[in-house]
Amino acid sequence: METSTTYPRVAMLIHGEWQHAGRETIEVVNPADESVIGHVPVATAADLDAALSAAERGFAVWRATAPADRAAVMLKAAALLRERVETLAPRITMELGKTLDEARYEVLRAADILTWDAGEAMRAYGRIIPSRPGWRHMVLRQPIGVVAAFTPWNAPIGSPARKVSAALAAGCAMVIKPAEETPASACALAECLMDAGLPPGVLNIVFGRPAEISRHLISSPIVRLVTFTGSVAIGKQLTQLAGQHMKATLMELGGHAAVIVCGDADPKAVARLAVTAKFRMGGQVCVSPTRFLVQKNIYGAFVDAFAGGASALRVGPGLEQGSQMGSLVNGRRLKAMQDLVGNAVSCGARVAAGGKRVGDRGFFFQPTVLADVPPNADALTQEPFGPLALVMPFDDLADALRTANQLDVGLAGYAFTNSLANTDRIANELESGLLSINHFGAAAPEMPFGGVKDSGFGREGGAESLDAYTITKMVSVRAS
Ligand code: NAD
């Protein structure tokens, strides 16, 4: 199929109208060649108020829409996403830099998320509490209200899909601020929903200066839930702001995933899987496997196989056929990689693969494996959020678990072992919201996704998907 490489005009969506004209704009840059491909409008305070008022009106309509009718709109939008995948995927690649295959996968996954939550819309059961004769106690689940959502650039359609889908299934309306780096993807999702029959005002999109927008939206009495996916630091700021205004929060924040590879695993087989998982989307994934703790008896074999696989990956523009890893999103991530590698090497780490920028145009960095990384290296405490794997040996499982659990974050964790006893111990003791054993999958729509400790709270997906977006109301009736 032919790949479309036109980048659309980006606009804000307020009460069903796309708005662009007459505003200040921010440039959208293609990270593969640093060219300017579009402009994002910057919302004024009046735009934000208009979006809030639209959401308030949209909520009144949508909460009164039958769950089956909400689900029908969502399923139609999912079908449109699947139908439009060849148009949407190149746009994601142009604004984010990841490969076309990765972009296609993200669009299809967004469709799967809508499909899952459409089912959940019809299963948002309350309950009847057993009571004395003449009494009836019930618990109703109702939509929480208008949601303010903030999503990052690394999954520009997947992350908005998570939040929009759960909100719509629950009967909520939303004002969303997607990342300014990757604005067209969230607009494309909204377009599918509007084309599927979503009433005006239920979903509104604004762009601009993140801190100003979050302050404005979170302090509005119209907003009842604040949901954010992004860094721990910003998540803490927004949680604090939400607390001042007594708003509920759902926070999906960063991680620094440990991978425990026990001595009974096959080092070459695990390394093969690790190459695919680590360098997917250039490692710019919150569940990216990062700290590889490998038992001493297979350490050397694992490092050699991992480094060999990483060095063999073809790095290049995401739109180019054959590229296996695209560019990073911006110059900030490139500099972060250079700084983290430089620091680790100065502390005594060994570069087993990569370690350098690729070319001098576009934000490309080599798939990098650092071995024997000493505990004082910055990369062991700062989330790399890039193509950087850190490998360290361990003696026994207790040591590995202690190292894995020593950070303040706990999003994803991984382990490889053929021992049931090890599996059981790791499942019990690893401090993470997600744990995959003998594979690197972590985020299917039917599974609850979210972290522990500083990685945030609340879950997206799974049977828990609508929890944050609904309130429970106790209704007690005295019948006689
Ligand atoms: P950043 O913290 O500046 O921005 C991350 C996201 O938060 C962006 O989408 C941005 O628009 C938004 N944001 C920033 N300040 C905000 C505010 N005051 N109110 C509302 N939204 C705000 O970081 P960055 O330089 O883009 O990325 C750096 C780090 O962020 C990464 O190293 C990674 O740790 C983290 N990150 C995490 C995820 C995730 O999926 N958990 C995604 C992207 C970035």
Side-chain angles (χ1 to χ4, degrees):
M1 207 167 298
E2 201 169 315
T3 299
S4 153
T5 49
T6 48
Y7 191 77
R9 182 179 162 99
V10 174
M12 295 188 286
L13 178 64
I14 299 178
H15 206 259
E17 302 286 331
W18 293 101
Q19 310 208 358
H20 183 286
R23 276 121 180 138
E24 182 193 336
T25 58
I26 299 169
E27 290 179 345
V28 183
V29 173
N30 178 345
D33 60 10
E34 302 178 44
S35 63
V36 175
I37 52 173
H39 292 87
V40 199
V42 173
T44 61
D47 288 327
L48 299 178
D49 286 337
L52 286 164
S53 156
E56 194 174 30
R57 285 173 283 150
F59 178 50
V61 173
W62 194 240
R63 71 174 307 174
T65 302
D69 295 336
R70 286 184 219 144
V73 170
M74 295 170 69
L75 290 174
K76 188 156 180 211
L80 290 174
L81 279 172
R82 292 184 184 108
E83 216 174 282
R84 297 175 188 178
V85 62
E86 292 303 325
T87 314
L88 303 189
R91 291 184 191 172
I92 295 180
T93 296
M94 287 173 78
E95 57 187 17
L96 173 60
K98 69 181 176 182
T99 66
L100 256 184
D101 277 349
E102 290 169 335
R104 284 191 189 101
Y105 174 79
E106 189 181 333
V107 175
L108 298 177
R109 192 167 154 272
D112 290 347
I113 288 169
L114 282 167
T115 305
W116 171 261
D117 280 333
E120 289 303 288
M122 295 191 282
R123 287 190 287 269
Y125 304 120
R127 63 186 200 273
I128 304 284
I129 300 171
S131 42
R132 292 165 190 268
W135 293 81
R136 180 67 73 216
H137 305 313
M138 294 171 279
V139 177
L140 306 182
R141 272 180 94 188
Q142 298 184 321
I144 193 168
V146 172
V147 179
F150 304 90
T151 53
W153 40 262
N154 64 327
I157 201 162
S159 187
R162 282 271 203 205
K163 298 183 191 304
V164 168
S165 169
L168 295 186
C172 297
M174 179 176 272
V175 180
I176 185 167
K177 189 207 79 62
E180 285 67 26
E181 287 93 336
T182 54
S185 304
C187 293
L189 172 68
E191 220 162 22
C192 289
L193 283 158
M194 302 294 290
D195 291 349
L198 189 72
V202 180
L203 176 61
N204 305 277
I205 302 181
V206 294
F207 296 106
R209 284 180 273 277
E212 277 175 28
I213 296 181
S214 51
R215 211 175 313 116
H216 196 109
L217 297 183
I218 294 171
S219 61
S220 162
I222 292 172
V223 166
R224 296 310 331 162
L225 169 69
V226 178
T227 171
F228 171 74
T229 297
S231 63
V232 173
I234 303 291
K236 286 184 176 176
Q237 279 176 32
L238 297 190
T239 302
Q240 207 169 21
L241 197 55
Q244 279 166 25
H245 297 279
M246 199 45 76
K247 305 293 164 73
T249 52
L250 169 58
M251 292 285 147
E252 295 293 353
L253 309 178
H256 202 305
V259 185
I260 298 178
V261 188
C262 296
D264 60 3
D266 174 348
K268 287 187 181 157
V270 179
R272 250 193 323 275
L273 296 175
V275 169
T276 306
K278 173 69 238 181
F279 302 110
R280 179 170 73 89
M281 291 163 59
Q284 300 169 115
V285 188
C286 51
V287 295
S288 189
T290 296
R291 291 174 296 149
F292 289 81
L293 309 169
V294 183
Q295 205 149 16
K296 275 199 171 132
N297 58 316
I298 56 166
Y299 181 75
F302 177 82
V303 171
D304 289 349
F306 194 14
S311 306
L313 284 177
R314 187 161 348 139
V315 180
L319 287 179
E320 226 168 79
Q321 223 177 0
S323 293
Q324 292 171 299
M325 192 180 97
S327 66
L328 304 184
V329 69
N330 55 33
R332 282 204 307 283
R333 296 267 33 89
L334 190 60
K335 180 167 184 320
M337 290 309 102
Q338 289 165 324
D339 289 351
L340 288 175
V341 171
N343 168 272
V345 170
S346 74
C347 293
R350 174 166 67 86
V351 180
K356 292 200 168 62
R357 182 177 183 178
V358 180
D360 56 6
R361 194 166 169 77
F363 308 117
F364 295 95
F365 196 78
Q366 291 175 326
T368 299
V369 177
L370 299 183
D372 315 334
V373 183
N376 58 334
D378 288 346
L380 282 176
T381 47
Q382 288 172 28
E383 182 182 20
F385 222 71
L388 177 54
L390 314 165
V391 195
M392 285 83 50
F394 74 84
D395 281 316
D396 65 34
L397 189 51
D399 293 336
L401 283 163
R402 205 173 307 114
T403 306
N405 289 339
Q406 72 190 1
L407 297 188
D408 292 333
V409 287
L411 183 57
Y414 306 92
F416 288 82
T417 177
N418 287 309
S419 148
L420 193 55
N422 286 349
T423 299
D424 201 48
R425 181 161 184 200
I426 294 165
N428 279 327
E429 295 182 26
L430 192 76
E431 295 170 1
S432 64
L434 321 163
L435 170 62
S436 297
I437 295 182
N438 293 337
H439 72 104
F440 280 110
E446 66 273 22
M447 299 199 257
F449 183 93
V452 298
K453 305 201 283 189
D454 278 6
S455 292
F457 38 77
R459 294 292 178 264
E460 296 187 325
E464 290 85 348
S465 191
L466 272 48
D467 285 358
Y469 296 86
T470 51
I471 49 132
T472 53
K473 182 191 278 180
M474 189 280 288
V475 178
S476 175
V477 181
R478 185 169 185 175
S480 58

